[in-house]
Amino acid sequence: MPKQKYDACIEACNACALACNYCASSCLQEQDVKMMAKCITLDIDCAQVCAFAAAAMARGSEHAAAICALCADICQSCSDECAQHHMEHCQECAKACQQCAQECRKMAGIA
Protein backbone atom coordinates (compact mmCIF):
# COMPACT_ATOMS: atom_id res chain seq x y z
CA MET A 1 0.00 0.00 0.00
CA PRO A 2 1.47 3.38 -0.96
CA LYS A 3 2.54 5.65 1.90
CA GLN A 4 -0.07 8.26 0.93
CA LYS A 5 -2.82 5.85 1.94
CA TYR A 6 -1.30 5.73 5.44
CA ASP A 7 -0.84 9.49 5.83
CA ALA A 8 -4.26 10.29 7.36
CA CYS A 9 -3.96 7.43 9.82
CA ILE A 10 -0.37 8.29 10.75
CA GLU A 11 -1.45 11.91 11.32
CA ALA A 12 -4.39 10.82 13.47
CA CYS A 13 -2.16 8.47 15.49
CA ASN A 14 0.43 11.18 16.11
CA ALA A 15 -2.23 13.72 17.10
CA CYS A 16 -3.85 11.19 19.41
CA ALA A 17 -0.54 10.30 21.08
CA LEU A 18 0.09 13.99 21.76
CA ALA A 19 -3.42 14.52 23.13
CA CYS A 20 -3.15 11.44 25.36
CA ASN A 21 0.23 12.46 26.76
CA TYR A 22 -1.09 15.95 27.48
CA CYS A 23 -4.25 14.53 29.06
CA ALA A 24 -2.31 12.13 31.30
CA SER A 25 -0.03 14.93 32.45
CA SER A 26 -2.99 17.24 33.05
CA CYS A 27 -4.88 14.53 34.95
CA LEU A 28 -1.93 14.28 37.33
CA GLN A 29 -2.49 17.94 38.19
CA GLU A 30 -6.17 17.45 39.08
CA GLN A 31 -7.35 17.76 42.69
CA ASP A 32 -8.46 14.12 42.94
CA VAL A 33 -5.75 12.22 41.05
CA LYS A 34 -6.99 8.87 42.34
CA MET A 35 -10.33 9.46 40.60
CA MET A 36 -8.39 9.97 37.34
CA ALA A 37 -6.32 6.75 37.62
CA LYS A 38 -8.20 4.85 34.90
CA CYS A 39 -8.04 7.84 32.59
CA ILE A 40 -4.31 8.24 33.12
CA THR A 41 -3.65 4.54 32.54
CA LEU A 42 -5.68 4.51 29.33
CA ASP A 43 -3.99 7.72 28.17
CA ILE A 44 -0.58 6.10 28.56
CA ASP A 45 -1.65 2.87 26.83
CA CYS A 46 -3.25 4.82 24.01
CA ALA A 47 -0.28 7.13 23.47
CA GLN A 48 2.06 4.15 23.29
CA VAL A 49 -0.05 2.11 20.87
CA CYS A 50 -0.61 5.16 18.66
CA ALA A 51 3.14 5.79 18.43
CA PHE A 52 3.69 2.09 17.65
CA ALA A 53 0.96 2.10 14.97
CA ALA A 54 2.34 5.25 13.32
CA ALA A 55 5.84 3.75 13.24
CA ALA A 56 4.55 0.45 11.83
CA MET A 57 2.72 2.24 9.04
CA ALA A 58 5.69 4.52 8.31
CA ARG A 59 7.94 1.53 7.72
CA GLY A 60 5.28 -0.46 5.85
CA SER A 61 5.13 -3.27 8.38
CA GLU A 62 3.26 -6.37 7.27
CA HIS A 63 1.53 -6.22 10.67
CA ALA A 64 0.36 -2.61 10.32
CA ALA A 65 -3.31 -3.54 9.79
CA ALA A 66 -3.37 -5.78 12.88
CA ILE A 67 -1.61 -3.12 14.95
CA CYS A 68 -4.11 -0.50 13.75
CA ALA A 69 -7.03 -2.77 14.65
CA LEU A 70 -5.65 -3.01 18.19
CA CYS A 71 -4.98 0.73 18.20
CA ALA A 72 -8.61 1.41 17.23
CA ASP A 73 -9.87 -0.68 20.17
CA ILE A 74 -7.59 1.05 22.68
CA CYS A 75 -8.39 4.50 21.27
CA GLN A 76 -12.10 3.77 21.60
CA SER A 77 -11.66 2.74 25.24
CA CYS A 78 -9.64 5.86 25.97
CA SER A 79 -12.19 8.05 24.20
CA ASP A 80 -15.05 6.51 26.16
CA GLU A 81 -13.23 7.09 29.48
CA CYS A 82 -12.12 10.64 28.70
CA ALA A 83 -15.60 11.60 27.50
CA GLN A 84 -16.90 10.93 31.02
CA HIS A 85 -14.76 13.72 32.49
CA HIS A 86 -15.62 17.37 32.05
CA MET A 87 -12.10 18.79 31.99
CA GLU A 88 -11.15 20.39 28.69
CA HIS A 89 -8.04 18.21 28.33
CA CYS A 90 -10.18 15.06 28.66
CA GLN A 91 -12.75 16.32 26.16
CA GLU A 92 -10.02 17.18 23.62
CA CYS A 93 -8.39 13.81 24.19
CA ALA A 94 -11.70 12.02 23.67
CA LYS A 95 -12.09 13.74 20.29
CA ALA A 96 -8.54 12.89 19.19
CA CYS A 97 -9.00 9.28 20.27
CA GLN A 98 -12.30 8.98 18.41
CA GLN A 99 -10.75 10.39 15.24
CA CYS A 100 -7.80 8.03 15.53
CA ALA A 101 -10.06 5.03 16.14
CA GLN A 102 -11.99 5.87 12.95
CA GLU A 103 -8.82 6.27 10.87
CA CYS A 104 -7.32 3.07 12.27
CA ARG A 105 -10.51 1.12 11.50
CA LYS A 106 -10.39 2.39 7.92
CA MET A 107 -6.74 1.50 7.58
CA ALA A 108 -7.29 -1.98 9.04
CA GLY A 109 -10.27 -2.54 6.77
CA ILE A 110 -12.78 -2.82 9.63
CA ALA A 111 -14.57 0.49 9.15
Side-chain angles (χ1 to χ4, degrees):
M1 183 180 288
K3 180 191 172 298
Q4 295 85 354
K5 290 196 175 190
Y6 291 135
D7 283 350
C9 194
I10 290 171
E11 248 181 66
C13 284
N14 286 331
C16 188
L18 289 172
C20 287
N21 281 321
Y22 179 74
C23 187
S25 177
S26 296
C27 285
L28 288 169
Q29 304 304 312
E30 294 295 336
Q31 185 96 20
D32 188 359
V33 174
K34 188 170 181 164
M35 181 190 81
M36 303 306 295
K38 184 175 181 183
C39 187
I40 294 165
T41 300
L42 282 168
D43 283 337
I44 293 168
D45 287 349
C46 193
Q48 291 294 305
V49 77
C50 285
F52 180 44
M57 286 182 282
R59 64 178 179 272
S61 171
E62 66 183 85
H63 300 289
I67 294 165
C68 284
L70 175 63
C71 187
D73 289 344
I74 294 172
C75 284
Q76 188 63 57
S77 293
C78 192
S79 177
D80 292 347
E81 175 64 25
C82 283
Q84 295 178 41
H85 304 287
H86 299 292
M87 291 75 84
E88 186 177 342
H89 57 84
C90 284
Q91 292 298 309
E92 291 299 317
C93 187
K95 289 177 194 170
C97 289
Q98 191 61 40
Q99 178 64 35
C100 188
Q102 289 172 355
E103 289 296 331
C104 281
R105 284 186 198 105
K106 280 194 255 178
M107 187 276 166
I110 54 176

